[in-house]
Amino acid sequence: MSQTDLTRFRAMCGQFRWLAVFMVVSVGLLLALIHLIFPAMIAVRDGAPPPGWVGGALFASPTAFYLFAVWSIGRAMGQLAKGRLIQATLASALRRVGLALGIGGVTSVFLVTNLARVLEGGRGGWLHFDVAGMTLGMIGGALFLLGRVMDQAGRVQAELDEMI
């Protein structure tokens, strides 16, 4: 890779980092407004929280994990833009992103549905057939495992480099 290509790659990584920051901040702020701040303002005004605000916040909870995954990707892009080695950055990012996506998917498919059953007095199913959540959970698990494999490969490479 030529120096010009490397400089362009780092610039693109820096831009992507800011795009990830913008997405996390804007979507996170909108979710906080909708599910926390506005219901709190209504509760102060009316003396009681609006009905169903806990369920709404519960159904939005997997999004917090997905936003953490985007934040982790942005953080990795920022590190690459600063010149950190790709293998170490990628392995760490894969583990964090995989864990966040996996937990978000499991939360979406199993936890949200069952907590909603408890809040609503036993109505509803045991499993939310959320294909997107199931897919993200599976991809998250695979990314986490790939990150561990890359960590191990880095350790083996370091050990081999010491022998030479």
Side-chain angles (χ1 to χ4, degrees):
M1 181 179 266
S2 70
Q3 188 61 33
T4 306
D5 291 339
L6 186 60
T7 303
R8 190 174 334 150
F9 173 73
R10 286 183 178 162
M12 288 174 29
C13 286
Q15 291 170 348
F16 192 87
R17 176 187 180 268
W18 286 112
L19 178 64
V21 168
F22 173 75
M23 181 184 165
V24 169
V25 169
S26 61
V27 172
L29 182 61
L30 286 172
L31 285 172
L33 283 171
I34 292 169
H35 296 291
L36 298 175
I37 297 171
F38 288 154
M41 290 171 60
I42 292 170
V44 168
R45 183 190 70 192
D46 296 344
W53 76 274
V54 174
L58 177 64
F59 278 103
S61 64
T63 309
F65 294 106
Y66 301 147
L67 287 177
F68 179 74
V70 172
W71 180 266
S72 296
I73 291 170
R75 183 176 163 204
M77 291 295 132
Q79 291 174 350
L80 290 174
K82 292 177 184 174
R84 186 165 182 222
L85 294 176
I86 290 175
Q87 183 174 357
T89 303
L90 187 58
S92 173
L94 282 174
R95 280 194 329 275
R96 280 195 314 272
V97 170
L99 195 59
L101 291 178
I103 291 172
V106 168
T107 300
S108 173
V109 173
F110 296 107
L111 191 62
V112 169
T113 304
N114 290 312
L115 286 177
R117 283 175 52 86
V118 170
L119 291 174
E120 295 176 359
R123 292 182 300 155
W126 294 97
L127 170 72
H128 178 60
F129 190 71
D130 177 17
V131 176
M134 292 175 185
T135 303
L136 286 173
M138 290 299 295
I139 291 171
L143 289 176
F144 180 78
L145 291 175
L146 287 174
R148 290 187 61 182
V149 167
M150 287 190 69
D151 268 343
Q152 186 175 1
R155 286 191 298 271
V156 168
Q157 182 68 40
E159 188 176 318
L160 290 173
D161 288 345
E162 286 178 7
M163 289 180 187
I164 294 177

